Amino acid sequence: ASVNLIKFMKKILFLIFFSIFTFSVVANEIDDLTKLADDGDPVAQNNLGHYYLYLSDDNPEDKELLDKAIYYLNAAAKQEQVNAMTTVGWTYFTGEHGAPKDNEQAIYWNQRASDLGFTIASYNMGFFYYSGLAGLDQDLVMAKKFWLLSASQWVNSEGLHDATAQELLDEINEYNPNPSKEMIKLRDFFVMLLKSEGAWSNENNYNNYYIFY
């Protein structure tokens, strides 16, 4: 799943569209953010990259916005800012925003962000294995591994994403309209884990779930 704009970006966009006075405020905040990003702050680079990415989607004719988004997101990803890493990886998977589809890069960035503890990246890796996408063969054992990891990281990743369990379920179903019984069991268990904030995220509970399902 792609990573959504953080609360700071939502605040900026709200101000842009609903207050004339805010134009100067937003400009000042973007100037401050740009200075931090250009000084090498990875969080500022991620936030600024997502800001320009959002504007680029609304203004596809303005290629400069997309260039800035790519520049700052890549800069943040290279500094292991997990939100940017996951966005870059997902974009390589989907080919959105004019990016070339590149399965190796999609796996590379999501795997690295997963290793750094980011729940959405771990979900993405499980999703790829579950669906047999991004150049991977379907492997429900590997999907289970990554989704258990994602569930265990869910609470600690709060503030880095605003995805919900329902949104991830909808995405899984969109790409997998005809799941097998085993896929349904794994999918439902994963979503249940997220809704219980990872309270059952271990191998024994997973196996017990299968026994009593």
Side-chain angles (χ1 to χ4, degrees):
S2 58
V3 181
N4 295 315
L5 295 178
I6 64 168
K7 293 179 180 178
F8 176 77
M9 291 298 104
K10 288 183 176 179
K11 171 187 172 185
I12 290 178
L13 293 172
F14 175 84
L15 293 173
I16 288 176
F17 290 112
F18 292 98
S19 173
I20 295 175
F21 168 76
T22 304
F23 281 112
S24 61
V25 175
V26 171
N28 289 337
E29 293 203 30
I30 294 301
D31 286 345
D32 292 343
L33 195 62
T34 300
K35 184 178 186 306
L36 287 172
D38 290 342
D39 285 343
D41 186 302
V43 174
Q45 290 169 344
N46 171 71
N47 294 350
L48 195 59
H50 278 100
Y51 171 74
Y52 283 122
L53 193 64
Y54 186 93
L55 292 183
S56 173
D57 286 343
D58 283 348
N59 302 275
E61 73 287 348
D62 190 341
K63 301 302 181 184
E64 184 178 355
L65 293 174
L66 182 59
D67 289 343
K68 288 182 177 180
I70 293 171
Y71 172 79
Y72 284 111
L73 286 172
N74 281 330
K78 289 176 181 177
Q79 295 198 72
E80 298 189 337
Q81 205 290 327
V82 293
N83 200 295
M85 295 167 76
T86 306
T87 296
V88 170
W90 186 260
T91 301
Y92 275 122
F93 164 62
T94 62
E96 294 174 286
H97 315 298
K101 287 191 175 184
D102 189 325
N103 289 332
E104 289 187 5
Q105 289 294 309
I107 297 298
Y108 172 78
W109 287 110
N110 279 287
Q111 178 69 70
R112 283 189 61 190
S114 172
D115 291 342
L116 290 170
F118 189 37
T119 184
I120 299 301
S122 298
Y123 156 77
N124 286 349
M125 290 299 301
F127 169 80
F128 294 152
Y129 278 111
Y130 178 89
S131 309
L133 295 172
L136 299 176
D137 293 331
Q138 186 184 59
D139 187 332
L140 297 187
V141 174
M142 290 298 293
K144 178 182 76 172
K145 170 188 172 182
F146 279 106
W147 279 356
L148 287 173
L149 180 61
S150 176
S152 72
Q153 297 165 337
W154 187 253
V155 173
N156 288 337
S157 293
E158 286 182 355
L160 292 173
H161 73 94
D162 59 4
T164 67
Q166 185 61 49
E167 287 171 343
L168 299 188
L169 175 60
D170 290 343
E171 183 170 72
I172 293 168
N173 289 338
E174 177 184 351
Y175 281 85
N176 299 275
N178 299 298
S180 67
K181 289 182 179 179
E182 289 299 300
M183 292 173 70
I184 292 171
K185 287 180 179 181
L186 176 57
R187 177 201 68 192
D188 291 352
F189 176 69
F190 172 61
V191 172
M192 182 180 65
L193 284 180
L194 297 188
K195 289 182 176 179
S196 62
E197 296 184 337
W200 291 12
S201 55
N202 62 68
E203 186 78 15
N204 289 333
N205 283 327
Y206 179 88
N207 291 331
N208 289 338
Y209 174 79
Y210 263 49
I211 292 171
F212 294 109
Y213 186 84

